[in-house]
Amino acid sequence: MKKCLSLLLVLILMAVSVFGLASCGLVEDGAEISVYLTDEVYDFDPAAAYTDDNAQLLISLLFEPLFTLDEKGKVQNAAAKSYEIDRDTGTMTVTLKESYWSDGERVLAGDFVYAWRRVLDPSFNSPAAMLLLDVKNAAGVRAGEDGLTVWDVGINAINEKTIRIEFEAGKDADHDAFLRSL
């Protein structure tokens, strides 16, 4: 009786293993990635879903930030090819690596500038705005101060692959903390 029960359990285990592995691998149009989420994701907008851990997990598969942190907390380039900090003028210049959207269009410096200005727009309620408040005029724009618009924020595309960021505190700004927040 014990041998029959053991054999039955082994057969069931093998069947489950075979059927479980059958769902892994390639699908017709590319690869399939299985992700475990604790809650449903309702928003795939990186600016709006900043505080939703499940959304951030999926968004990290769709979008690449300028910088990431390694396991030691050190800033590493992601979409950024390189960056220079001019402590005398309180500016940072970021050069983008060559990357493309899913439709084949090149990712441009203006795409990042647009996203950051959108986050700082007072009519758009994004929790990510607090990460950009060290940028020149960002706090005033976010607070809706008279005369300031998102076009006054110190983030500009110099060309298709270069972003210049001016800091509010100038040469005294904590550039490293800003990099970690991106």
Side-chain angles (χ1 to χ4, degrees):
M1 182 66 176
K2 285 185 179 182
K3 288 183 182 182
C4 289
L5 183 58
S6 296
L7 182 60
L8 181 62
L9 288 174
V10 168
L11 289 174
I12 291 172
L13 181 60
M14 287 175 47
V16 169
S17 296
V18 169
F19 290 119
L21 292 174
S23 67
C24 295
L26 296 178
V27 292
E28 270 186 44
D29 296 328
E32 183 178 292
I33 301 171
S34 298
V35 178
Y36 175 75
L37 302 173
T38 56
D39 293 318
E40 289 189 41
V41 175
Y42 296 100
D43 197 341
F44 288 99
D45 182 347
Y50 180 73
T51 57
D52 182 347
D53 291 337
N54 288 313
Q56 284 299 311
L57 177 63
L58 292 176
I59 288 169
S60 71
L61 298 171
L62 301 172
F63 300 102
E64 183 175 41
L66 281 178
F67 303 98
T68 59
L69 297 178
D70 65 15
E71 55 279 344
K72 295 181 182 179
K74 187 175 178 189
V75 175
Q76 300 295 318
N77 292 345
K81 180 178 179 180
S82 63
Y83 66 94
E84 292 180 23
I85 297 172
D86 184 341
R87 296 196 188 275
D88 293 332
T89 61
T91 60
M92 177 189 302
T93 304
V94 180
T95 303
L96 300 178
K97 69 179 184 180
E98 190 169 327
S99 57
Y100 297 87
W101 294 104
S102 59
D103 65 357
E105 291 292 316
R106 178 140 189 229
V107 175
L108 304 173
D111 297 329
F112 284 94
V113 172
Y114 166 79
W116 292 350
R117 286 179 179 162
R118 179 174 170 251
V119 165
L120 289 169
D121 191 327
S123 66
F124 183 70
N125 188 19
S126 173
M130 67 180 192
L131 299 174
L132 298 172
L133 295 182
D134 287 335
V135 174
K136 183 178 179 182
N137 293 328
V141 168
R142 187 70 183 161
E145 288 183 14
D146 286 339
L148 288 178
T149 68
V150 293
W151 299 100
D152 297 314
V153 174
I155 302 170
N156 295 294
I158 304 305
N159 56 41
E160 289 186 351
K161 61 181 184 174
T162 309
I163 304 167
R164 174 145 313 128
I165 304 164
E166 298 174 69
F167 292 95
E168 190 69 61
K171 64 182 179 180
D172 298 325
D174 187 353
H175 302 95
D176 295 329
F178 180 75
L179 280 174
R180 285 190 299 274
S181 72
L182 295 178

